[in-house]
Amino acid sequence: DQQVKQNSPSLSVQEGRISILNCDYTNSMFDYFLWYKKYPAEGPTFLISISSIKDKNEDGRFTVFLNKSAKHLSLHIVPSQPGDSAVYFCAASFQGAQKLVFGQGTRLTINP
Amino acid sequence: DTGVSQDPRHKITKRGQNVTFRCDPISEHNRLYWYRQTLGQGPEFLTYFQNEAQLEKSRLLSDRFSAERPKGSFSTLEIQRTEQGDSAMYLCASSREPDEQYFGPGTRLTVT
């Protein structure tokens, strides 16, 4: 049962434009959400997170939006840069649980 | 470098052999996690330690898998009688708080 889903395996965006990565979840008990970025041959790197008490969190070029009623979150990157090309994973957890539940990932390619 | 380190980075073994991986967490982190990632999927939780106590194990962790964290410092993950289905990237993460986990570079296991 895939509790966290990233339905777009890949996304291609022109440099300077906005990249929007989407993630859906099914478990309403999830109350904390994270985005990780992964380059080849490296482990995932923490990018940004959001608690379920918020609907938006911003950090520089990265903004995460949470829509609890739709069980949907998105990551916006603006402006997109070539170094943003990587695989992006969303992950979720809930209070009392230690594990993160990951989506399948979306490969983002930024074209010059 | 004060990040999570894992050793070895790559391991090729023959089916039926035993393998052991090591993870050194960030020094002030008392929580340590093991995940497994297969091609095209996000990381899947295997097990979690708080200090030296193993507090949670996934049903993915069959009897052939064992993990330890003596003295609450580094951790080892052993797979006995490896099978081809064990081929994957094994990721270790650590954290001070439950949610923001910091990952190591992973150990890629290939079982031939």
Side-chain angles (χ1 to χ4, degrees), chain B residues 30 32 47-56 69 71-72:
Chain B
N30 63 343
L32 186 146
T47 190
Y48 155 70
F49 291 86
Q50 185 160 337
N51 300 312
E52 67 274 10
Q54 187 174 19
L55 298 183
E56 189 173 349
R69 193 184 182 197
K71 302 178 183 177

Side-chain angles (χ1 to χ4, degrees), chain A residues 2 32 34 36 38 41-44 46 49 89 93 97-100 102-105, chain B residues 9 31 33 35 37 40-43 45 48 56 91 98-105:
Chain A
Q2 190 74 29
Y32 197 75
L34 308 89
Y36 282 83
K38 187 179 184 305
E42 295 183 13
F46 170 74
S49 62
F89 293 98
S93 68
Q98 302 300 328
K99 65 180 181 182
L100 296 177
F102 284 84
Q104 309 96 308
Chain B
R9 295 291 304 275
R31 292 175 166 87
Y33 313 80
Y35 290 81
Q37 185 179 13
Q41 299 297 317
F45 172 79
Y48 155 70
E56 189 173 349
L91 293 162
D99 296 312
E100 291 182 15
Q101 299 177 18
Y102 294 85
F103 284 81

Side-chain angles (χ1 to χ4, degrees), chain B residues 13-111:
Chain B
T13 191
K14 292 184 178 179
R15 186 165 49 99
Q17 297 295 304
N18 298 344
V19 294
T20 300
F21 310 140
R22 176 179 170 126
C23 170
D24 287 273
I26 294 171
S27 58
E28 62 266 29
H29 288 179
N30 63 343
R31 292 175 166 87
L32 186 146
Y33 313 80
W34 286 97
Y35 290 81
R36 182 173 70 185
Q37 185 179 13
T38 54
L39 197 63
Q41 299 297 317
E44 294 177 290
F45 172 79
L46 292 178
T47 190
Y48 155 70
F49 291 86
Q50 185 160 337
N51 300 312
E52 67 274 10
Q54 187 174 19
L55 298 183
E56 189 173 349
K57 289 170 61 173
S58 163
R59 64 180 184 275
L60 294 175
L61 214 64
S62 76
D63 291 345
R64 297 183 297 105
F65 288 71
S66 62
E68 294 182 343
R69 193 184 182 197
K71 302 178 183 177
S73 55
F74 71 93
S75 176
T76 58
L77 177 68
E78 180 184 16
I79 309 174
Q80 296 182 328
R81 305 180 303 282
T82 53
E83 302 173 355
Q84 286 188 323
D86 297 331
S87 295
M89 176 74 83
Y90 290 84
L91 293 162
C92 175
S94 70
S95 72
R96 192 163 43 195
E97 299 298 327
D99 296 312
E100 291 182 15
Q101 299 177 18
Y102 294 85
F103 284 81
T107 294
R108 180 168 295 285
L109 173 65
T110 302
V111 182

Side-chain angles (χ1 to χ4, degrees), chain A residues 18-105:
Chain A
I18 184 171
S19 296
I20 300 176
L21 297 102
N22 294 302
C23 179
D24 297 294
Y25 61 96
T26 57
N27 191 335
S28 57
M29 291 184 66
F30 287 142
D31 60 6
Y32 197 75
F33 303 89
L34 308 89
W35 284 94
Y36 282 83
K37 173 180 176 180
K38 187 179 184 305
Y39 292 120
E42 295 183 13
T45 301
F46 170 74
L47 205 54
I48 191 169
S49 62
I50 188 168
S51 164
S52 60
I53 61 173
K54 296 184 176 181
D55 54 18
K56 176 183 175 181
N57 189 26
E58 193 171 352
D59 184 2
R61 297 185 298 114
F62 303 92
T63 303
V64 56
F65 295 91
L66 176 62
N67 183 333
K68 289 186 290 295
S69 60
K71 295 191 179 67
H72 177 83
L73 66 155
S74 61
L75 174 68
H76 293 208
I77 307 173
V78 55
S80 300
Q81 299 174 354
D84 297 329
S85 295
V87 178
Y88 289 78
F89 293 98
C90 68
S93 68
F94 56 87
Q95 193 172 14
Q98 302 300 328
K99 65 180 181 182
L100 296 177
V101 180
F102 284 84
Q104 309 96 308

